[in-house]
Amino acid sequence: MPLLFRTAAASEPAGSPDSRRPHRRAALVAATAGLAVLAVGTPVAYATLGPGASPEPRPAVAEAVRGKDYVETRLLFGTERPDGGPEVTDRQFLAFVDEEVTPRFPNGLTIQDGRGQWRDSHGVVERERSYELTLLYPASEARLRGRQIERIRDAYEKEYAQESVGRLEERVTADF
């Protein structure tokens, strides 16, 4: 919206009420425009940020968290062999899980197929089919389970000539 200003007549002395009127009006128009932008822009900004972005006060007491403290460990198993041998098959991987993982984690696990890549010890980027194995166990068992997980990693690396089995962990809250 264009702003219109009235210029003071040359005959009006500087500092007279009539000579200050255009400056006051300009300041008033600018302040009004600024307030309008804030009034319209603030709800739009909060709506853009999505749910929970509103400055509305949150309840003082948070809802009780369900579940108990667990550790989630994800192991990343590659299937290509650095020595050029045949890749690890589904049958071989599932047999490995039956022999090495299930006895240590009989309460359950999750396996997902994947595709991955990583730079090997020779600097070559390897792209390969992979498996992601997810294990959940009580945080109170972390020390014992950590040793068992290392045995699983070592066994896979030796059996299938792998340079490494990736391990990721984080504390979570779980409820079953």
Side-chain angles (χ1 to χ4, degrees):
M1 149 174 44
L3 299 177
L4 301 176
F5 296 102
R6 191 183 100 201
T7 57
S11 61
E12 294 175 353
S16 72
D18 286 340
S19 70
R20 287 181 293 198
R21 186 172 287 143
H23 297 293
R24 254 191 249 162
R25 177 171 290 195
L28 181 61
V29 168
T32 304
L35 288 174
V37 167
L38 286 175
V40 170
T42 300
V44 170
Y46 284 120
T48 302
L49 293 174
S54 173
E56 297 168 8
R58 295 182 181 227
V61 178
E63 288 185 37
V65 177
R66 291 182 53 138
K68 297 179 183 172
D69 289 335
Y70 276 75
V71 175
E72 175 184 20
T73 299
R74 292 185 295 155
L75 299 177
L76 307 171
F77 298 90
T79 58
E80 298 275 330
R81 297 183 197 223
D83 61 6
E87 76 172 30
V88 179
T89 65
D90 286 342
R91 175 176 272 170
Q92 288 171 316
F93 184 75
L94 293 175
F96 176 83
V97 169
D98 289 343
E99 294 166 17
E100 297 289 338
V101 182
T102 301
R104 292 180 172 99
F105 293 88
N107 291 339
L109 53 90
T110 301
I111 300 170
Q112 295 182 6
D113 290 327
R115 296 284 310 160
Q117 72 178 42
W118 80 304
R119 187 181 309 274
D120 69 13
S121 62
H122 303 292
V124 177
V125 174
E126 299 286 341
R127 290 180 177 90
E128 61 187 340
R129 193 172 54 81
S130 61
Y131 300 98
E132 181 178 335
L133 174 71
T134 303
L135 304 165
L136 281 174
Y137 46 92
S140 61
E141 299 175 10
R143 185 177 301 240
L144 167 68
R145 298 302 186 165
R147 289 191 299 269
Q148 293 173 331
I149 289 166
E150 287 308 303
R151 287 188 192 110
I152 292 167
R153 293 175 73 201
D154 291 341
Y156 191 82
E157 289 168 9
K158 287 177 187 156
E159 188 167 342
Y160 298 107
Q162 298 292 301
E163 290 182 9
S164 179
V165 171
R167 180 177 179 172
L168 297 90
E169 288 190 345
E170 69 181 290
R171 292 199 174 256
V172 298
T173 301
D175 186 28
F176 297 97

